[in-house]
């Protein structure tokens, strides 16, 4: 189906679209925290870098990253249209994620990045291993 807007108008329309957060993935991680009795987390914690969850007492920042947007190669989805734009956008996100992780680590924080795909039932063992390593290490 042909787009009803020309390229300039479509760009203007899309530039006004703002993220509403990755609410479903965050809610799923909250369920996992509850199941595993992981306590002490906060959302919307006022710290530079904007992690999805913060454990202020343990100085742990948790980011829930969407696989497509943050460049995880678990999916084979690659847009055919405007491929250069999407590749550049994902690469920019990866660079920003890396810089954010480094910033937290320089301040003495531990960083956990949870991929969207790890929240699926078949991949939960990978996520549980990450959580165990971080929270059961006696810290």
């Amino acid at each position: 189906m042909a787009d009803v807007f020309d390229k300039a108008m479509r760009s203007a329309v899309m530039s006004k679209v703002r993220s509403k957060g990755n609410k479903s993935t965050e809610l799923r991680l909250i369920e996992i925290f509850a199941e595993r009795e992981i306590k002490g987390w906060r959302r919307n914690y006022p710290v530079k870098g904007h992690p999805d969850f913060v454990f202020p007492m343990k100085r742990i920042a948790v980011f829930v990253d969407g696989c497509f947007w943050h460049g995880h190669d678990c999916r084979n989805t690659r847009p055919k249209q405007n491929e250069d734009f999407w590749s550049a956008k994902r690469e920019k996100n990866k660079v920003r994620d890396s810089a954010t992780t480094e910033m937290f680590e320089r301040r003495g924080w531990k960083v956990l990045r949870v991929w969207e795909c790890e929240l699926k039932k078949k991949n939960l063992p990978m996520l549980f291993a990450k959580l165990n390593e971080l929270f059961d290490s006696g810290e």
Side-chain angles (χ1 to χ4, degrees), residues 51-63:
D52 297 303
F53 297 92
V54 170
F55 293 81
M57 299 301 287
K58 294 183 180 242
R59 294 180 63 89
I60 297 172
V62 179
F63 295 87

Side-chain angles (χ1 to χ4, degrees), residues 7-45:
K7 190 172 182 172
M9 180 56 105
R10 172 58 60 200
S11 181
V13 168
M14 294 306 290
S15 72
K16 302 292 183 215
V17 176
R18 294 289 169 236
S19 171
K20 291 188 173 128
N22 49 356
K23 196 171 190 177
S24 64
T25 54
E26 288 178 18
L27 292 176
R28 177 64 182 123
L29 191 54
I30 289 170
E31 288 174 7
I32 291 169
F33 287 160
E35 289 167 10
R36 310 226 13 124
E37 297 182 4
I38 296 172
K39 296 176 171 47
W41 55 268
R42 302 287 178 264
R43 284 175 81 184
N44 304 316
Y45 195 77

Side-chain angles (χ1 to χ4, degrees), residues 73-111:
D73 287 326
C74 67
R75 303 170 82 185
N76 294 324
T77 307
R78 298 287 183 274
K80 297 294 180 212
Q81 290 186 321
N82 217 356
E83 191 172 344
D84 292 339
F85 168 81
W86 290 111
S87 293
K89 179 161 183 59
R90 289 175 53 165
E91 199 54 43
K92 240 182 2 185
N93 287 345
K94 288 166 73 172
V95 168
R96 186 188 66 233
D97 292 345
S98 179
T100 301
T101 297
E102 285 179 31
M103 176 186 64
F104 273 96
E105 289 174 346
R106 277 194 314 268
R107 293 187 289 181
W109 286 63
K110 292 189 178 194
V111 175

